[in-house]
Amino acid sequence: MADTVNWQQQAATIIYQAYPDSDLLPIDPPQVGEAIGAFAARAEEAGDTLFLFLCREANDDIDGDEYVDRLHRAISGVRHVRDAFLTSEQ
């Protein structure tokens, strides 16, 4: 995947464009070339904790491959909690 500097320059735009209904978030989209660090700070104002999580994770000193690995782990964790609730309802 891209090197860390390139990753940090692209992450905000990739996350914003991929996030469902991001145009409804009460923040402006990332500016051209806005690094994830600056955008993650603005994401605090979005009021959407999943969106904030995605931005904060991307703001760590990692590359895109590590970010995707973290997303896989988060998805797995969410599935485990969902499944626990589903089995507790039976």
Side-chain angles (χ1 to χ4, degrees):
M1 190 155 289
D3 63 43
T4 302
V5 173
N6 193 22
W7 154 251
Q8 292 172 340
Q9 293 298 319
Q10 296 178 17
T13 300
I14 293 169
I15 293 166
Y16 186 85
Q17 289 178 350
Y19 195 74
D21 299 320
S22 59
D23 59 323
L24 301 177
L25 294 172
I27 61 170
D28 290 329
Q31 302 299 310
V32 174
E34 183 176 11
I36 189 61
F39 189 68
R42 291 196 303 112
E44 299 270 346
E45 300 171 24
D48 185 317
T49 56
L50 178 56
F51 183 73
L52 180 57
F53 166 79
L54 295 170
C55 292
R56 283 183 174 170
E57 287 295 307
N59 191 33
D60 281 350
D61 189 20
I62 59 173
D63 64 14
D65 291 330
E66 174 62 23
Y67 182 69
V68 171
D69 287 345
R70 289 181 179 193
L71 293 180
H72 283 298
R73 288 191 300 271
I75 290 166
S76 177
V78 168
R79 285 184 177 147
H80 285 289
V81 172
R82 178 204 59 199
D83 292 348
F85 272 95
L86 289 175
T87 58
S88 72
E89 293 176 353
Q90 296 177 356

